[in-house]
Amino acid sequence: MEDRDIKTVMKQLRNFTSRYNAPAVSQVADETRNPYKILISCLLSLRTKDAVTKSSTERLFSLADNPKDMLKIPVEKIENAIYPVGFYHRKAETILNISSILLKEYKGIVPDNFENLLKLPGVGRKTANIILTMAYHKPSIAVDTHVHRITNRWGFVSTRNPEETEKELKKNLPQEFWIDINNILVTFGQNLCLPVSPICSKCPIIFFCDRKGIVRNR
């Protein structure tokens, strides 16, 4: 993919992916714009399918949707609410730990800067960037496995890991797409540009794609 093509590709994919359901975390962001709920739903989504994330967040937030109320809930009850998300025992403890830190150090408010977000337990670069973009609408790029895989498949970047991808995208991706590239490519990656055997026959941007690393497709 040539750098000059990226605007056309992103605009086409923004329109194309609008026909599909948004990822679970994006749905929470669209429905609430609540930084705490976005943060917790993002943590629950790690190593977990979207359908499970969505039902688990709904059960959990029916019990509590802010740090103060969350700390009133026994860890076992949180575990029951979020099961069967991946690593639900550890995530329940992390939710309580984060809630305590937010109350003690940030007056119950999720930080809106990258450095402080990374200090929270369980929060890595991707989660921090999702909070900045989805909760606070600040220009940044959240790179997960879908964004990393697809942009390398296109040939738009040539990187070894998500952190390198983030750096390269910040150099070459027009800032108008920074905030929603994660939502667009996660949706695209879940429904069409699959990790194994992508559905290239229905891809709207196939003629721009270098199709790097694709062994089998439909």
Side-chain angles (χ1 to χ4, degrees):
M1 179 182 294
E2 301 292 335
D3 287 357
R4 65 175 181 269
D5 296 325
I6 192 63
K7 280 193 174 184
T8 299
V9 166
M10 290 303 297
K11 288 177 180 178
Q12 287 189 20
L13 287 182
R14 181 183 279 159
N15 179 62
F16 178 80
T17 55
S18 65
R19 71 185 67 179
Y20 296 99
N21 290 329
V25 177
S26 297
Q27 290 184 41
V28 171
D30 290 340
E31 291 166 4
T32 71
R33 293 298 172 189
N34 182 313
Y36 180 74
K37 294 176 76 170
I38 296 170
L39 169 59
I40 299 304
S41 65
C42 189
L43 292 174
L44 293 179
S45 74
L46 302 175
R47 305 276 183 95
T48 303
K49 292 183 178 180
D50 253 23
V52 175
T53 299
K54 184 170 176 54
S55 60
S56 298
T57 54
E58 289 172 352
R59 288 193 300 271
L60 179 63
F61 295 147
S62 71
L63 300 176
D65 62 1
N66 62 81
K68 185 177 180 180
D69 289 341
M70 192 68 73
L71 288 173
K72 298 175 183 177
I73 303 174
V75 66
E76 295 82 6
K77 194 169 184 178
I78 293 176
E79 290 175 350
N80 289 335
I82 65 175
Y83 179 83
V85 300
F87 306 101
Y88 68 97
H89 289 298
R90 186 186 307 168
K91 288 179 180 179
E93 294 176 353
T94 299
I95 289 169
L96 290 175
N97 196 2
I98 284 178
S99 299
S100 178
I101 292 170
L102 291 178
L103 284 174
K104 290 178 181 177
E105 300 183 21
Y106 301 102
K107 299 180 180 180
I109 299 172
V110 176
D112 64 351
N113 68 80
F114 191 73
E115 292 73 21
N116 285 342
L117 285 166
L118 286 182
K119 294 177 183 178
L120 298 175
V123 175
R125 296 188 67 89
K126 183 196 80 170
T127 300
N129 281 321
I130 282 177
I131 299 304
L132 292 178
T133 55
M134 294 189 185
Y136 293 111
H137 212 67
K138 290 189 173 185
S140 197
I141 300 176
V143 177
D144 66 353
T145 57
H146 292 289
V147 176
H148 174 63
R149 178 185 75 254
I150 292 170
T151 54
N152 273 275
R153 182 174 279 174
W154 288 346
F156 186 63
V157 301
S158 181
T159 54
R160 296 169 294 180
N161 55 61
E163 186 169 351
E164 288 184 3
T165 300
E166 180 188 336
K167 291 177 181 178
E168 288 303 304
L169 288 176
K170 284 182 176 177
K171 292 178 185 176
N172 301 311
L173 182 70
Q175 197 171 102
E176 66 185 281
F177 303 112
W178 283 22
I179 287 177
D180 60 355
I181 185 174
N182 184 270
N183 182 52
I184 291 171
L185 294 194
V186 170
T187 305
F188 187 50
Q190 289 177 341
N191 293 281
L192 211 72
C193 198
L194 306 171
V196 179
S197 190
I199 309 172
C200 296
S201 61
K202 295 183 179 180
C203 180
I205 52 96
I206 188 171
F207 297 111
F208 296 102
C209 181
D210 291 353
R211 304 173 76 186
K212 290 187 174 180
I214 295 179
V215 176
R216 180 165 51 93
N217 69 86
R218 289 173 276 170

